[in-house]
Amino acid sequence: MKILRVIPSMDPSIGGPCQGIRNSIPELTKLGIENEVVCMDAQDADYLGMDSFPIKALGPSKGPWGYCEKLIPHLVSNFHLYNIVIIHGLWQYHSYAVNKAAAIYKKKFPNKATPIIYVMPHGMLDPWFQKAKERRIKAIRNYFFWKFFESDVVNNSDGVLFTCLEELRLARRPFRPYRPKKEINVGYGIIAPPAYTTDMDIAFRSACPTLGDDAYLLFLSRIDQKKGVDLLIKAYLLLKQKGISLPKLVIAGPGMETSYGDQLLVLASNTTDILFPGMLRGNAKWGAFYGCEAFILPSHQENFGIAVVEAMACEKPVLISNQINIWREIDAGKGGMIEPDNASGAASLIMRWVALSGAEKQIMGKNASNTFQELFTTEKAAKQMFQQILQPAKTTNKLS
């Protein structure tokens, strides 16, 4: 059986869907499932050619919609090679192109089976994107895109795939008509982190030299208003002003070169206890995870939260908002703390953490690791996808 993944970009700095693809394919390969990827990246992008699976780059794409003139002809010419096509993400040209190409293929080859087509929105149907004040213009754009393009993409597909039950429930709210043929929770997982080595700690401390040997809380994600970084900094500073003894705060990730990043630097300018090492990769990234007291993310919206699960896999408690869609699973497993996505919620996460004893913190870390092993490994997610969509697909007439 062969799956084609269609996604705007496989740039690893973007994270999210492309990282999910990279995490899942090796485990699906073990189950005998072949995977290929089509993206709209430039053919000479330096991050291509480094993966174990084929990636066909047809770009560069043009404009904010990501138009790529080669995509529809390529799909029509190659649909017959695949049993299943998965559209990763919405709101860009690639989703429209798959839907359009399927219509052309059926008309051009009426006697040939069309591959099963699924949409995996990766949280892009979350109501937050339509309600957030800073996204008013994009919300209006999405309304019209849904009316003219995306409603057909979703409702014409054979089903919509979700990473968790909360995402499935939330996707029903923002748009009409919303009539998917199937809603399927296929789960999600990450590759287990490499075992800790002292080189990891050395690499991280080198990337963050002013930290020294001090204890710290870790925020590691894209620097964006959606992530609630400003709330985190304000909460941290407020607690410091009250004389509460706190570990240092490391805020790592790409995006500090933006205007929002500049705002954060101004917010934190009166303290040396908040550190901004930028984006961390490889040993430096894993050193940051393994060395922190806890991971903190007061995000306004997170479909899954790969970094959250990476921290859990490193046996670190996670201090998160209730807008991260896997918060219920984490709460049930007692692997972290949950609060609302506002300033008082962020402050409560920090205060509750520092109030714990060393033994309580250690138990919470063990619980986080156990929850990862039970729910969020790539092996678990691959088996769930296999059971939900791949195994049933073998019995349909659409597969050769």
Side-chain angles (χ1 to χ4, degrees), residues 36-51:
E36 294 182 6
V37 174
V38 167
C39 63
M40 276 55 74
D41 291 313
Q43 298 175 31
D44 60 351
D46 58 7
Y47 46 81
L48 297 177
M50 301 172 65
D51 294 285

Side-chain angles (χ1 to χ4, degrees), residues 97-338:
V98 174
N99 185 56
K100 182 70 174 178
I104 294 172
Y105 185 84
K106 289 175 184 177
K107 187 175 181 179
K108 189 174 182 180
F109 305 106
N111 297 321
K112 289 188 177 182
T114 306
I116 296 171
I117 296 176
Y118 289 113
V119 177
M120 194 165 189
H122 294 275
M124 295 180 189
L125 292 176
D126 193 295
W128 179 84
F129 292 105
Q130 294 302 104
K131 294 180 178 179
K133 292 179 180 179
E134 63 270 23
R135 288 185 52 87
R136 286 174 180 170
I137 294 176
K138 289 184 178 180
I140 294 171
R141 178 208 65 180
N142 285 358
Y143 170 81
F144 286 104
F145 271 43
W146 179 265
K147 183 176 181 179
F148 293 108
F149 304 118
E150 302 296 357
S151 61
D152 285 341
V153 172
V154 169
N155 296 329
N156 289 346
S157 71
D158 292 286
V160 184
L161 310 180
F162 298 99
T163 60
C164 60
L165 188 58
E166 184 73 1
E167 183 197 0
L168 185 154
R169 291 169 175 163
L170 290 171
R172 297 169 178 170
R173 297 182 186 178
F175 298 104
R176 296 292 182 272
Y178 177 73
R179 297 187 296 266
K181 294 182 178 71
K182 290 182 180 179
E183 296 172 301
I184 307 171
N185 176 19
V186 295
Y188 214 54
I190 68 158
I191 299 171
Y196 171 78
T197 66
T198 55
D199 287 343
M200 294 175 180
D201 186 63
I202 293 169
F204 167 62
R205 302 280 173 172
S206 296
C208 199
T210 57
L211 177 63
D213 294 325
D214 292 336
Y216 62 96
L217 297 175
L218 176 66
F219 170 100
L220 192 154
S221 190
R222 183 165 46 90
I223 306 301
D224 187 273
Q225 191 167 1
K226 188 187 83 163
K227 306 289 184 176
V229 198
D230 55 321
L231 299 179
L232 175 58
I233 292 175
K234 290 174 183 177
Y236 184 87
L237 293 175
L238 178 63
L239 296 177
K240 291 282 288 185
Q241 288 171 4
K242 291 181 177 181
I244 299 173
S245 179
L246 301 176
K248 289 188 175 180
L249 177 61
V250 173
I251 296 176
M256 287 304 298
E257 72 284 355
T258 63
S259 59
Y260 182 66
D262 291 339
Q263 294 173 33
L264 300 181
L265 290 174
V266 172
L267 269 178
S269 59
N270 291 328
T271 181
T272 59
D273 290 339
I274 302 177
L275 309 174
F276 299 91
M279 185 174 182
L280 301 175
R281 299 178 185 271
N283 275 350
K285 169 188 165 180
W286 294 116
F289 276 124
Y290 278 116
C292 71
E293 284 195 4
F295 178 85
I296 186 164
L297 181 62
S299 184
H300 298 301
Q301 190 278 330
E302 211 72 39
N303 179 53
F304 179 78
I306 288 176
V308 175
V309 179
E310 287 178 330
M312 295 168 68
C314 293
E315 209 170 293
K316 298 300 173 180
V318 291
L319 318 180
I320 61 173
S321 76
N322 60 5
Q323 299 305 306
I324 295 172
N325 283 349
I326 57 172
W327 73 267
R328 285 186 174 87
E329 290 87 339
I330 293 169
D331 191 44
K334 303 185 185 306
M337 297 176 175
I338 319 296

Side-chain angles (χ1 to χ4, degrees), residues 4 70-82 101-102 104-105 108-109 112:
L4 176 67
K70 296 179 181 178
L71 181 55
I72 290 178
H74 177 83
L75 292 172
V76 172
S77 298
N78 291 278
F79 265 154
H80 68 282
L81 300 175
Y82 306 101
I104 294 172
Y105 185 84
K108 189 174 182 180
F109 305 106
K112 289 188 177 182

Side-chain angles (χ1 to χ4, degrees), residues 77-98:
S77 298
N78 291 278
F79 265 154
H80 68 282
L81 300 175
Y82 306 101
N83 306 114
I84 292 175
V85 175
I86 301 178
I87 302 167
H88 287 270
L90 294 168
W91 311 120
Q92 290 193 278
Y93 176 75
H94 74 296
S95 59
Y96 163 82
V98 174

